[in-house]
Amino acid sequence: MQKFIAIALLAIFVFPLQMNAQEEEKGGEFSIDINLRPRFEYRNGYSYPRLETDKPSAFISNRARIGANFDNGFLSARIAAQDISVWGQKRQNDNDGARTTMHEAWAQMRHDGFFAKIGRQSLSYDDGRILSESSWTPTGIWHDAVKLGYENPMNTIHLALAYNQSREKTNEGTFYEPVGQPYQNMQMAWYQYRNPTGFTASALFVNLGFETGDPATGNEPANSKKVYMQTMGTNIGYKNNIWNVMGTFYYQTGTNSNDEKVNAYMLALRGRYAFKPQLFLYGGTEFHPGQDPDSEKVTRMDLLYRSNHSFMGSMDYFRGYDYYGVWDKYIGLNWNPWKKLGLDLRYHHFSSQQPIDVDGTNKKVLGSEIDFTFTYPIRKHIMLEGGYSFMLATDAMPIAKDRPGNPDSWQDWAYVSLTINPTIFKSRF
């Protein structure tokens, strides 16, 4: 893996030499932007069923980011710091900066469709089902990586490489304690083809390396080894002014971070129909088999570093790695009654793939969820959004969520969020 990283770094250093010697860089643009997002949440059965003895919770979380950007056409760069906290969580004279970190720190060189990007960056592909920036979560998801690629109007190919260590080491080997990223090394390849008729097809491959066992300590030799897990899949779709249809398939094999053999997959199909530019009907299905009790391998698929909130309901009950599996069927309506206001109403029906024993009876139906959301841009750079969801769970849901007991009959969740993201300074030179 170290050799792959060295080759990628060499490619980045040689990349500027590929420029035409006659070409001169002429100035550039510098800007500073900020992003503030306070979000109120009311949780009364969010993520798992609330039992009758449980109490509702409410809080306000906040994300504050400030970023500096540079771009001269060939070279671009961004550095963005962020602070994440819940209102009231930090002391007024807080000296603990554990939740203040660098969210982005990268530089990129681009020429004739080729590019090379190095540093802390997000990796977001297709609909974010496997790799996503995960903007819903306050922290987001980033990777310290090298990314190389080529893009033209019909074809895009990206290659990403990452190699992690928990600290600087000398004569200690390369055992990685996952104090930061959950993997020790990563190799990723993504290709997308876009046809002017509206047809698109993409393929994603991710190879993750994990450390298992223990490192050497004192006179004790290491009993560790590196294992690798592969995730691969495709998204194939078609869209025009009326229809938008996409099919998804992913397969996972190899060995996971717990040194377990993996043989898992997932399927999804979704579509949208436009009655008019302001009114859409959409629906789809998503299938995750869960754990086969007769298999010696892990048959639950790990969806890696995705935006979980975008799939299988806003209340985040399911993550694809559920033991009994999940089959989600949904239908929704998206409406813009005014120029700015956006309304979305969605119904989910959840069932398990594996039967669940409920007092001696095998059941599969888990429940139904209703999600309502709205968005309204108050002014330029100011977005108001919110939502309300409730879950009507069956008696199989607490068992599926490993939450045995008598659940309360009403489970709901609500949020209101304000996003403020202006560019406060911009200059060309």
Side-chain angles (χ1 to χ4, degrees), residues 180-404:
Q181 294 288 353
Y183 56 84
Q184 197 272 339
N185 64 79
M186 176 183 68
Q187 304 85 47
M188 185 277 297
W190 178 75
Y191 171 75
Q192 185 184 61
Y193 170 77
R194 299 173 298 278
N195 190 290
T197 63
F199 173 79
T200 62
S202 67
L204 176 70
F205 175 83
V206 182
N207 182 51
L208 295 174
F210 305 102
E211 299 278 10
T212 62
D214 301 301
T217 56
N219 295 324
E220 295 293 327
N223 65 348
S224 64
K225 66 176 180 178
K226 286 184 173 64
V227 297
Y228 294 88
M229 184 175 74
Q230 298 79 40
T231 303
M232 61 204 79
T234 183
N235 284 267
I236 300 175
Y238 172 80
K239 67 177 180 179
N240 55 29
N241 294 332
I242 298 177
W243 288 99
N244 188 341
V245 181
M246 180 69 71
T248 299
F249 169 75
Y250 282 101
Y251 174 70
Q252 199 164 71
T253 187
T255 305
N256 65 18
S257 59
N258 295 321
D259 202 13
E260 300 168 317
K261 296 296 182 181
V262 178
N263 182 30
Y265 72 94
M266 63 81 57
L267 296 165
L269 178 66
R270 64 186 185 275
R272 189 185 71 178
Y273 178 80
F275 291 104
K276 57 178 68 176
Q278 299 82 24
L279 183 63
F280 299 91
L281 177 69
Y282 63 91
T285 184
E286 191 164 327
F287 180 71
H288 302 263
Q291 181 59 44
D292 182 354
D294 298 324
S295 176
E296 296 180 353
K297 295 184 177 182
V298 174
T299 58
R300 296 180 287 167
M301 184 164 174
D302 183 351
L303 293 175
L304 304 184
Y305 319 117
R306 73 167 186 167
S307 177
N308 191 75
H309 191 75
S310 301
F311 307 96
M312 292 191 287
S314 297
M315 294 182 72
D316 294 334
Y317 266 57
F318 305 101
R319 287 172 166 76
Y321 198 69
D322 308 276
Y323 181 85
Y324 292 97
V326 60
W327 183 19
D328 175 25
K329 293 79 67 182
Y330 63 91
I331 187 169
L333 191 67
N334 187 279
W335 183 35
N336 297 97
W338 306 325
K339 184 177 181 180
K340 291 185 176 182
L341 179 64
L343 303 175
D344 190 277
L345 183 65
R346 181 184 301 184
Y347 168 78
H348 291 266
H349 181 268
F350 299 108
S351 56
S352 66
Q353 194 274 336
Q354 304 288 344
I356 300 174
D357 185 354
V358 182
D359 297 328
T361 302
N362 286 336
K363 296 186 177 182
K364 288 189 174 183
V365 176
L366 299 174
S368 299
E369 179 178 326
I370 302 291
D371 298 326
F372 170 75
T373 59
F374 75 89
T375 57
Y376 184 77
I378 300 174
R379 291 285 184 90
K380 186 179 180 181
H381 309 304
I382 306 176
M383 174 66 75
L384 175 68
E385 65 176 285
Y388 176 76
S389 301
F390 62 89
M391 173 71 75
L392 301 175
T394 69
D395 51 1
M397 180 72 83
I399 300 174
K401 295 296 294 178
D402 195 22
R403 180 90 170 150

Side-chain angles (χ1 to χ4, degrees), residues 47-107:
S47 186
Y48 54 84
R50 180 178 68 89
L51 304 182
E52 289 183 341
T53 55
D54 295 337
K55 304 296 183 183
S57 300
F59 60 90
I60 301 173
S61 62
N62 189 65
R63 178 173 72 195
R65 290 177 180 168
I66 182 167
N69 310 277
F70 171 80
D71 190 353
N72 68 2
F74 172 73
L75 174 66
S76 59
R78 175 173 171 80
I79 294 179
Q82 71 177 15
D83 180 81
I84 306 298
S85 63
V86 172
W87 284 16
Q89 182 181 28
K90 289 190 173 184
R91 299 187 300 271
Q92 289 182 332
N93 58 347
D94 182 28
N95 292 318
D96 180 10
R99 294 178 68 84
T100 300
T101 187
M102 193 66 70
H103 175 65
E104 293 180 88
W106 54 263

Side-chain angles (χ1 to χ4, degrees), residues 13-26 72-75 109-112 114:
F13 293 138
V14 172
F15 188 81
L17 302 179
Q18 304 304 312
M19 290 183 61
N20 191 316
Q22 304 287 324
E23 186 176 348
E24 292 186 15
E25 300 175 31
K26 299 179 180 180
N72 68 2
F74 172 73
L75 174 66
M109 292 169 285
R110 180 180 293 274
H111 182 66
D112 284 348
F114 292 92

